[in-house]
Amino acid sequence: MTSIKKILLFVVAFWGICGLSNYSYAQSTYLSARNLGLGGGGAAYMSGYHASFINPANLGLFNGKNQFMIGLPGELTIASGGPLMNIAVYNKYFTHGYQLNNSQVDAAVNEWFGKSGADSRTLGFNVNVLPLAFVHKTRIGTFGAALRFRTLGDVSVSRGLAEFMLRGLDQSYFSQARPVNFSNEVYSTAEVSLSYATSFALGTNQRIYLGISPKIIKGLTYFKSDFQSNLKMSGDTLIQHQFHYDIYTVGDLTNGFQKFYNQRQNPNKDPSFSDINMSSMGKGGIKGSGMGLDMGVSYVLSFDGSINGQANNYNNELPRHALTLSASVTDLGSVNFKKNAQRFSADNTFNWNGLKPNYQQIDAKHDSSFSNYLNYVAQDSIARNIYGAFSPDNIGSIHASLPTMIHLGAYLKYGQLGVMLDYAEGMNKIGMNSTNSSISTGVEYKLFNFIPLRLGYRTGGKSSNSFSLGTGIEFRNFQLEAGIMTVKDSHSRGYNVTTAISSLLLFF
Amino acid sequence: MGKKVIHSITSGIVLLFLIIGLFGCEMPHSPDFGITQSLDIPLFQKKVDFLGGPDALVDTTKNNLNNFLSVDSTGLVKLSTRTDFTSSVSVSTSGSGLPKTVGSSTSGYSVVINLNYDDTTNGINILDLYDNAEAKIVKISNLKYFSKRMGNFSLNNAQMNLYYRTNITGGNKVYAGIVGNDPNGNSVFFMPKTGSKYTVTGSPVNGLDAHGQALPDNQLMTFGITADSTRTDTLFGSLKFNSNNSNIGDFISNLPTEVRFIGKAILVFSGIPTTPPNNFFFDTAIGLDIPLDIATPSQPATYVDTVSADLSSLPSGQGDTRLSSASIMMHYTNGLPLAANLQLTFLDQNMNPVTTVPDTAAGAAPIVLKAADVDPQTHFVSIPNKNVLQISFSRNQLDTLHTARYVRLYAKLNTTNNGSVRIQASDFLQMKLSGNFKIQSKVGGKTNGN
């Protein structure tokens, strides 16, 4: 008991320290309604089919008397956040009725983006849908299978673009070249996970669990754009916009870009941006394929004496009083999008020093209408022939990494009370993933033994310190849960909001 | 019992955290802010020639110039052609062009020399106005738009200046024929008025032809070589032909694109006939001045033009977006010897005035486009005027601009220093317009005007 108290004290102290520090991020861990309420960790805590996505070692560590777990539909999680979504700055400057002058805009943008013109802020999003998941404990181990649809994405905006939005073409700011950049990447996948976990005893009250969850992944959608530019206004006689962009497309969307390009090469054609139908991004079926892998290990120390069940016994259950320590790696692998994969690039400079009307052309081609001529200049001359002057490059395939993460977790279960602590670090910056490490902690108490009350806290990752709540109902054969995570003060690293619903979980 | 207490306490703590969490977490509030976006943007740049096609200040493709210029006999501005000598044409007294002795006496003798190159294919010492090898051809490009576009255009007080430089000594006499041709092949001979000092009666020279026919006396002119100035061995002289001494009105009304000149000089020598000296030269340049009465000090001419300008897309000031300030900067290089006092009147769809800029009635400074400097000798532009002027709109004006559908430009024109100036078709006005707009937008909160 003394050791448990020490652990609890440590957790509380840690929580307090994290609460004082306001320098933190979110992270791209798999989130369900269960672990979301506990701060978003769960390498040691999550069990059942959820474990397939965060630590397959825990695949069978659910209600001990049950051999089957089915999620139908299993899970819906929507997460979004990052420094770009800075609610604190938004609330401070944009909700009090201020007519923002230049110095206030400066202050807002400084707080939002930092003081360097090259600073940028990102916003990530992640949507997970598990329409079907299944786990079965057998004498030779625990097997699981799950179908997951996932959409990952991020958007990045530079300070210069924010200044442009708030100030307009302000010569006092753009008298020196300022970066005006934005980028985004989004892809969707459908994956089938086939998981397996087994365990062996270290002693009567200690056990090691091992799990692996390979995934077959089909790529459904991919789009990426990266627009880098410098905007400069020289006096009041010249606007110079030097830009370079790359657009990566697959499937039907590529056809739209290609059609626009082809028509632009033909002087008798009149290409239109409407040929590029962004809604076609999701059409055309499977556009790529890949493999993924999650794997992990857990150590369970029972405070109740012997661990119920033996190795490969399907009756595995986490003891009522136990400590679990886990380590896992998730989302190893990638997806190669090969169907019609193209890159469209442009490198150009737009110099605007005023309209130079050609009246003979206006008479001959624009019905002597100056407004028609202006439309022509804006749409054709500038939009189409300068900004739309991209060249295609058949790159064969587009490689999209999965948001690989490593997890270290601890979960202390003491009857109806549970405490969880997790460390996670992303290996890349896909979607909500961040290479900044994050620490999550949470407390769970099962009121009346069937109403879980969860409270969590997370620091690190992609957004500011986050608090989470979760609850639901948990019966032996049926569960329905929900969780939410959000930020108390997004000033330092932005906002984050995540919701998850575990709809119908059946155990038998 | 102990367990129940622990559970109750724990439940309470968790619930408390839940409540704190619910009320403590950050929530985005409704937007309520305003921003002022600048639009400092180059709008327009143009180099406008004074005279010419659709891009020119005076559009000579139109059949009526009265919207801009009234042509009068007593103008201060003269549309002029440059009168540069192009190349020196030597006239020789040797070879096939030997001068013909036309007379001799004990006190001396005289010979006739050709003032043009003599192409002998049409005969020796026969100069033909329509022989391109022989005639001195002066292109009048400045008038080509007039010539192409204008029919029955009469200019009553025009002047033609015939400049010459020669090493022929003063006192000798020239007989010449001049014809002006328009692009359609219509020719008008330049003819001195009967009784003027340029009139020829019984020409003593032969071999001045047009299309192989000798020019009659009334299509010839004569003048004595007189030096306006002399530099080294070159004598510079000029003749001014106007409506008092010539048919210049008809001649210019034909709007010639070229003027052709042929001539011969009778050189008088003292002593007995001998071989006259060689290496004479005689160059001509022809300039035209067309007086344009577009400005007088007491009554400046006014240029008025109305153009369509639908400004309905500008914010009205009643909604969430309003134009808080607007000004137009005009960087100009005025290569015209004309100043303009500008005024813009914005009109609604019924052509009723909405507002006027500058509002001089309210004390606003006039908008003046300054004239170029002119050379006091030639009266042509010497130094274009580079300057910037600003057109600003008041708060009240900005709120009414959205009703404007037309803009009427009034320009009161004056010459440089209200003096006499000469203007060429190629004189220009170069301008760059840039707009400085501030647009206030309100997002959320209470709508303006509500």
Side-chain angles (χ1 to χ4, degrees):
Chain A
M1 273 306 279
T2 306
S3 59
I4 294 173
K5 284 181 179 175
K6 284 181 179 175
I7 292 168
L8 284 172
L9 279 172
F10 168 75
V11 169
V12 171
F14 173 78
W15 201 333
I17 292 167
C18 291
L20 292 175
S21 105
N22 206 20
Y23 187 80
S24 55
Y25 302 86
Q27 198 52 277
S28 183
T29 308
Y30 166 78
L31 295 170
S32 76
R34 289 175 66 83
N35 64 336
L36 182 61
L38 295 170
Y45 170 76
M46 295 291 275
S47 62
Y49 69 78
H50 301 295
S52 298
F53 306 105
I54 188 165
N55 184 5
N58 301 346
L59 201 62
L61 291 175
F62 60 90
N63 305 356
K65 304 298 182 190
N66 296 305
Q67 296 178 36
F68 292 96
M69 175 186 186
I70 297 175
L72 187 68
E75 202 78 34
L76 170 64
T77 308
I78 301 171
S80 180
L84 184 60
M85 199 192 314
N86 197 319
I87 300 300
V89 174
Y90 164 76
N91 281 345
K92 181 177 178 181
Y93 290 97
F94 299 97
T95 61
H96 296 292
Y98 300 144
Q99 181 66 40
L100 299 173
N101 56 33
N102 279 354
S103 60
Q104 288 170 312
V105 168
D106 275 343
V109 177
N110 282 344
E111 291 182 35
W112 197 348
F113 286 85
K115 293 185 177 177
S116 166
D119 281 340
S120 62
R121 293 291 180 260
T122 59
L123 165 69
F125 56 91
N126 191 345
V127 179
N128 279 281
V129 179
L130 273 79
L132 181 62
F134 171 81
V135 177
H136 178 41
K137 297 178 189 176
T138 71
R139 295 182 183 277
I140 58 170
T142 306
F143 294 89
L147 172 64
R148 175 166 71 163
F149 294 96
R150 183 156 60 156
T151 298
L152 305 170
D154 57 64
V155 176
S156 176
V157 171
S158 75
R159 175 190 167 121
L161 183 56
E163 292 272 7
F164 175 74
M165 299 295 288
L166 294 171
R167 290 172 178 268
L169 279 171
D170 185 354
Q171 188 191 317
S172 64
Y173 180 74
F174 288 106
S175 58
Q176 55 179 293
R178 306 276 189 177
V180 177
N181 307 329
F182 65 88
S183 61
N184 74 312
E185 182 177 23
V186 59
Y187 69 83
S188 298
T189 58
E191 64 184 47
V192 175
S193 301
L194 301 171
S195 312
Y196 173 73
T198 186
S199 66
F200 58 88
L202 288 181
T204 56
N205 66 338
Q206 298 174 60
R207 201 167 188 85
I208 295 289
Y209 294 82
L210 300 170
I212 189 167
S213 179
K215 303 167 195 309
I216 300 166
I217 305 172
K218 294 297 177 187
L220 303 177
T221 300
Y222 185 88
F223 179 79
K224 179 182 178 181
S225 68
D226 184 12
F227 186 93
Q228 304 289 318
S229 72
N230 278 301
L231 178 62
K232 183 180 181 183
M233 301 174 70
S234 304
D236 49 6
T237 56
L238 177 66
I239 296 173
Q240 189 173 62
H241 191 204
Q242 190 177 28
F243 63 90
H244 172 90
Y245 65 79
D246 294 310
I247 295 172
Y248 296 83
T249 62
V250 295
D252 288 357
L253 185 58
T254 296
N255 296 336
F257 277 89
Q258 188 67 48
K259 181 179 179 186
F260 181 92
Y261 170 78
N262 292 342
Q263 292 197 342
R264 217 176 62 74
Q265 307 310 305
N266 188 339
N268 299 320
K269 294 289 185 180
D270 193 22
S272 168
F273 283 108
S274 62
D275 291 334
I276 302 171
N277 181 8
M278 294 302 290
S279 65
S280 67
M281 190 162 55
K283 296 178 181 174
I286 294 169
K287 302 174 186 71
S289 61
M291 295 292 292
L293 181 67
D294 296 353
M295 57 186 180
V297 58
S298 289
Y299 163 80
V300 176
L301 170 65
S302 170
F303 301 112
D304 296 336
S306 64
I307 296 179
N308 188 19
Q310 299 300 313
N312 300 331
N313 188 328
Y314 62 82
N315 202 20
N316 279 337
E317 182 181 19
L318 199 61
R320 187 167 170 77
H321 301 91
L323 172 67
T324 305
L325 301 175
S326 300
S328 67
V329 182
T330 55
D331 281 320
L332 288 167
S334 62
V335 186
N336 278 317
F337 291 87
K338 291 185 176 179
K339 186 176 180 182
N340 224 0
Q342 290 258 33
R343 177 178 59 206
F344 298 91
S345 303
D347 198 329
N348 214 336
T349 300
F350 170 50
N351 290 311
W352 175 254
N353 50 13
L355 202 61
K356 300 171 190 171
N358 181 330
Y359 291 103
Q360 287 163 327
Q361 188 183 21
I362 293 172
D363 288 342
K365 297 186 176 178
H366 306 288
D367 299 328
S368 301
S369 167
F370 198 74
S371 58
N372 289 351
Y373 174 68
L374 285 178
N375 285 337
Y376 162 78
V377 171
Q379 293 175 10
D380 291 29
S381 205
I382 297 175
R384 185 188 303 170
N385 295 330
I386 296 177
Y387 286 97
F390 53 73
S391 300
D393 181 11
N394 190 348
I395 53 177
S397 69
I398 297 170
H399 179 86
S401 297
L402 300 179
T404 309
M405 290 190 73
I406 58 171
H407 308 265
L408 299 174
Y411 172 49
L412 176 64
K413 181 180 178 185
Y414 189 72
Q416 289 157 274
L417 179 66
V419 179
M420 188 205 74
L421 177 66
D422 258 58
Y423 170 88
E425 184 171 327
M427 307 304 289
N428 53 33
K429 296 180 179 177
I430 309 295
M432 292 287 288
N433 212 17
S434 166
T435 52
N436 298 306
S437 57
S438 68
I439 295 177
S440 307
T441 184
V443 178
E444 177 187 61
Y445 183 76
K446 289 191 180 171
L447 191 63
F448 309 124
N449 217 24
F450 74 96
I451 301 176
L453 300 175
R454 302 186 182 107
L455 185 62
Y457 178 82
R458 181 172 67 183
T459 183
K462 200 160 187 159
S463 60
S464 295
N465 303 342
S466 303
F467 291 90
S468 64
L469 306 170
T471 188
I473 51 174
E474 288 186 359
F475 298 112
R476 175 162 290 277
N477 299 104
F478 169 77
Q479 287 182 5
L480 184 62
E481 296 175 298
I484 185 169
M485 174 185 281
T486 187
V487 168
K488 181 171 169 48
D489 181 1
S490 62
H491 187 271
S492 60
R493 289 292 168 178
Y495 199 63
N496 162 47
V497 59
T498 306
T499 59
I501 297 173
S502 297
S503 50
L504 188 59
L505 305 181
L506 302 173
F507 301 87
F508 52 91
Chain B
M1 181 65 185
K3 283 187 176 179
K4 286 184 178 178
V5 172
I6 291 172
H7 287 170
S8 300
I9 292 172
T10 309
S11 299
I13 291 171
V14 170
L15 282 171
L16 187 61
F17 271 108
L18 283 173
I19 294 166
I20 291 171
L22 280 172
F23 289 98
C25 280
E26 196 171 45
M27 298 294 287
H29 302 155
S30 297
D32 185 8
F33 67 98
I35 54 174
T36 303
Q37 291 175 302
S38 297
L39 190 60
D40 303 333
I41 185 170
L43 297 172
F44 177 91
Q45 64 169 291
K46 190 77 183 162
K47 182 182 176 188
V48 183
D49 286 334
F50 172 68
L51 185 70
D55 289 350
L57 199 58
V58 181
D59 178 3
T60 49
T61 64
K62 304 287 169 55
N63 291 326
N64 185 357
L65 296 182
N66 290 333
N67 68 327
F68 188 78
L69 300 170
S70 63
V71 181
D72 199 278
S73 59
T74 55
L76 292 172
V77 179
K78 293 174 181 173
L79 172 65
S80 300
T81 62
R82 285 281 179 183
T83 53
D84 298 325
F85 294 103
T86 52
S87 61
S88 183
V89 177
S90 293
V91 288
S92 175
T93 58
S94 61
S96 61
L98 278 174
K100 176 185 176 186
T101 301
V102 293
S104 64
S105 68
T106 54
S107 59
Y109 67 99
S110 59
V111 295
V112 176
I113 65 169
N114 301 321
L115 299 181
N116 303 70
Y117 168 74
D118 183 16
D119 178 8
T120 58
T121 54
N122 61 347
I124 297 173
N125 286 328
I126 294 175
L127 303 178
D128 197 303
L129 273 172
Y130 292 96
D131 186 329
N132 292 339
E134 293 179 331
K136 163 80 172 180
I137 302 172
V138 178
K139 296 292 183 185
I140 311 293
S141 59
N142 285 8
L143 295 179
K144 65 182 179 183
Y145 292 111
F146 275 114
S147 178
K148 282 182 178 176
R149 301 290 181 182
M150 304 305 295
N152 302 317
F153 189 76
S154 174
L155 296 167
N156 297 321
N157 201 33
Q159 178 175 293
M160 182 172 79
N161 302 311
L162 176 65
Y163 301 93
Y164 57 86
R165 61 181 182 182
T166 183
N167 58 355
I168 298 172
T169 54
N172 292 302
K173 237 176 173 181
V174 170
Y175 289 82
I178 296 174
V179 68
N181 299 319
D182 74 5
N184 300 321
N186 299 314
S187 299
V188 171
F189 286 90
F190 179 81
M191 296 184 292
K193 273 199 171 171
T194 304
S196 80
K197 60 182 179 180
Y198 305 113
T199 306
V200 174
T201 305
S203 172
V205 299
N206 297 316
L208 293 175
D209 290 3
H211 293 306
Q213 300 295 316
L215 289 169
D217 284 353
N218 66 341
Q219 291 179 357
L220 291 171
M221 58 173 289
T222 182
F223 58 90
I225 292 175
T226 306
D228 292 340
S229 63
T230 303
R231 277 173 268 167
T232 61
D233 294 329
T234 302
L235 180 151
F236 290 84
S238 64
L239 303 169
K240 296 186 187 305
F241 300 106
N242 53 38
S243 57
N244 294 324
N245 56 24
S246 68
N247 68 337
I248 185 68
D250 293 337
F251 183 80
I252 289 184
S253 294
N254 187 43
L255 299 169
T257 54
E258 64 173 28
V259 175
R260 291 170 174 249
F261 172 92
I262 55 173
K264 297 191 176 197
I266 299 177
L267 306 184
V268 179
F269 298 96
S270 59
I272 59 173
T274 182
T275 304
N278 281 330
N279 301 324
F280 290 113
F281 68 86
F282 188 87
D283 291 341
T284 53
I286 292 172
L288 299 174
D289 284 344
I290 302 173
L292 304 174
D293 183 14
I294 64 172
T296 63
S298 58
Q299 192 173 10
T302 301
Y303 167 59
V304 181
D305 198 6
T306 303
V307 296
S308 172
D310 188 346
L311 303 182
S312 59
S313 58
L314 289 178
S316 65
Q318 298 301 311
D320 290 339
T321 302
R322 71 189 312 216
L323 206 55
S324 62
S325 72
S327 63
I328 294 172
M329 307 292 290
M330 180 177 176
H331 298 252
Y332 67 85
T333 301
N334 188 3
L336 298 168
L338 300 171
N341 199 325
L342 302 173
Q343 194 174 56
L344 295 170
T345 297
F346 293 84
L347 310 170
D348 65 15
Q349 58 186 359
N350 300 316
M351 304 300 280
N352 297 316
V354 173
T355 188
T356 298
V357 178
D359 190 357
T360 49
I367 302 168
V368 178
L369 190 135
K370 295 178 180 175
D373 293 344
V374 297
D375 185 311
Q377 301 300 319
T378 66
H379 303 289
F380 282 115
V381 167
S382 58
I383 304 173
N385 197 322
K386 295 183 75 168
N387 222 318
V388 181
L389 59 84
Q390 181 171 3
I391 303 171
S392 297
F393 297 84
S394 69
R395 172 73 265 155
N396 291 336
Q397 288 174 323
L398 294 175
D399 286 341
T400 58
L401 279 182
H402 70 282
T403 62
R405 299 293 179 273
Y406 303 93
V407 177
R408 180 167 292 160
L409 169 67
Y410 293 89
K412 290 183 178 178
L413 304 174
N414 283 97
T415 60
T416 304
N417 300 324
N418 289 324
S420 178
V421 296
R422 299 168 90 182
I423 191 168
Q424 304 173 84
S426 57
D427 283 349
F428 66 94
L429 171 64
Q430 189 166 13
M431 54 191 166
K432 292 180 180 176
L433 294 181
S434 61
N436 304 103
F437 306 99
K438 303 277 186 202
I439 301 166
Q440 277 185 358
S441 301
K442 186 162 176 55
V443 180
K446 290 184 178 178
T447 305
N448 284 339
N450 288 345

